[in-house]
Amino acid sequence: MRSLTPRLILLPWLALSAAVLSAQVQVGPGQEASWLLQGHGFWSGSEDAPRDRARAAACYRKAAEAGDAEAMAHLGRMHFRGEGIPKDPAEALKWLKASAGKGNARGLYHLAELYQSGFGVPVNHTQYAALLRAAALKGCPDAMAELGQCHSFGLGVAWNPSEAAAWFAKAAEQPVTLFYPMTLAWMHERGLGFPKDANAAFRYGQRAAAAGYVDAPRYMGHLYLNGIGVPRDPQAALGWLTRADALDDSHALVELAGMLMEGAGVPKDPRRAVALYRQAAGMGSATAMLLLGDCRQLGLGGPVDPAEAVLWYGKAAEREVQSAFPRLAWLYHKGEGVTQDDKRAVAWLRQGVEKGSTYAIYLLGWFSQNGWGLEKDVPRALSYYHQAGERGWPQAWLQLGFCYKLNDGIERDLSKSLEFFRKAADMGNITALHQVGWAYQNGEGVAVNLTEAIRCYQAAADQGSDASMNQLGWFHAHGLVVPKSPELALSWYLKAGAKGSTSGWWNAGLIYESGEETVLRDPAKAKHAFAEGAALGHAECMHKLGEYAERGLGGPRDIDQALAWYRKAMDKGNAEARAAYLRLTMPPPPEPDDEE
């Protein structure tokens, strides 16, 4: 269900391979070092001795009880991950706290994961980031990489892309043999610290799967489903995601539910997808809680239920999911599932900002600009938009462009407007790209350049912009820069209309109404185009339908229908429709008095 999924942080559950851990053993007096080595051997397995995670845990326990901090970290991690032994929040917390208390980097790192996931402790991303930093400073490369992600998303720390890049780079400087293979996989997949390399991501994912890491099947499913380092193969993804070990992984259930929601490699089944989300939420998946809120809000896999959406978003917010806060705020603003309350909405947005939500920052700009739940303050709104834009939210740059273009509480500045539209367009926002084209067409903040305008419109139209399709139709209708072609103009207008553009239907109707060159006059098709525009609320199209019904164009004459359309257009403020309605409904003037 990618269209509903928020931008998520890929934070794997980490542990080192047994071979690497053996090289890191701190041999000291007593038997604990021997037990630790035996634990590594059983955890990894070999040709002479098969892998036996339960015996590994028993060896780690002996070493941990004898005071070995490294063994404590491994035993705590195994209780956390359920690696050959039952998951046990109390035992995981006990041993990881003990290991971290001794200053062990691996213990600090895995304890951080408990606070990130809420396993045995309340979710606390501030504590999560603090423990990651402590582990990173002690040389743990996996902690360095995750700390970089925290700074990338403002998770538990201030958003700081420079600091993020520094930690990614520092992690990449560490010997590859010290990493958990899943960390190397996602770093190469996303180009963090290392050059982006899908093949390397797949290779490290395979290595994690071969070593028996419990989260590897989910990651391999992700790679096959998205064609990362391997040809896209939904069936292979399904095979990985339905393995017995994957079904115990809430992340794998969420991925599998997404396949069912989209019908990717499996029959589309939103209800079953929702059932899997519920199962994953029951296992503690905050992502599943968020997606359940989306499903109830949008009516996916069941009826629309804003009240239940609020419930699930609230659960996700309790687990500090950044995108849950602005979702809750918007429901309070709209009064959906809760009593309308803009002040409460603002409170949710401020909590979201504290938790690092870029979308919450952007919405605070909207609320400040419109005076929803707080005093209207356009300069403050602009500041929020700037912050959100700098953090990668293209709609924020778009909104800044409109603020400077429309003179809404701030002095109009078309040069600045164009600057911000360009920023948004460079980030892939097609509305902004259309606005850049409009600026070139009309000389708004830049010299008129119709060739550049058409280039922008064409690029935006190729990405689905109905407004740009309509403008391309206009250029072909008038023969500016491109040859005049009513046929091509009509084609673009119809494409725009099919995308929901009322202007597209209006312009198509006008061409059919008059007939131009190779396009023959066709009142029936004109009437159809105006009807499509009217259904979308276009007042002029409604007025035209009134005229057609009154005059019997494109169909039989029908005065009642004409009055109905005139009235609808009149209610939308159309003056011509009002005049026509009054003309048809005014009583006739009195007959002249013959005696006079």
Side-chain angles (χ1 to χ4, degrees), residues 484-510:
K484 184 175 182 180
S485 172
E487 191 171 2
L488 282 176
L490 177 61
S491 174
W492 279 115
Y493 289 148
L494 290 173
K495 286 180 181 179
K499 284 284 187 178
S501 168
T502 56
S503 296
W505 288 119
W506 171 254
N507 288 324
L510 292 178

Side-chain angles (χ1 to χ4, degrees), residues 235-308:
Q235 287 302 311
L238 185 64
W240 281 102
L241 295 172
T242 53
R243 285 175 34 156
D245 46 356
L247 295 177
D248 289 330
D249 180 358
S250 64
H251 301 312
L253 293 180
V254 169
E255 194 85 35
L256 183 58
M259 292 181 68
L260 288 165
M261 190 64 74
E262 293 181 348
V266 294
K268 191 170 184 177
D269 192 342
R271 290 188 179 277
R272 190 176 173 200
V274 168
L276 286 175
Y277 286 140
R278 290 186 186 277
Q279 184 179 342
M283 296 165 68
S285 169
T287 299
M289 296 172 190
L290 181 79
L291 293 174
L292 280 169
D294 287 342
C295 289
R296 293 287 62 80
Q297 179 68 6
L298 299 173
L300 299 172
V304 171
D305 188 341
E308 188 179 348

Side-chain angles (χ1 to χ4, degrees), residues 365 377-387 400 403-404 410:
D377 188 332
V378 174
R380 181 172 58 190
L382 298 182
S383 175
Y384 283 128
Y385 292 145
H386 268 281
Q387 292 177 53
L400 276 169
C403 285
Y404 282 102
I410 189 169

Side-chain angles (χ1 to χ4, degrees), residues 159-178:
W159 174 78
N160 189 328
S162 297
E163 187 77 1
W167 280 112
F168 287 135
K170 188 171 180 63
E173 292 170 358
Q174 309 307 306
V176 171
T177 54
L178 297 182

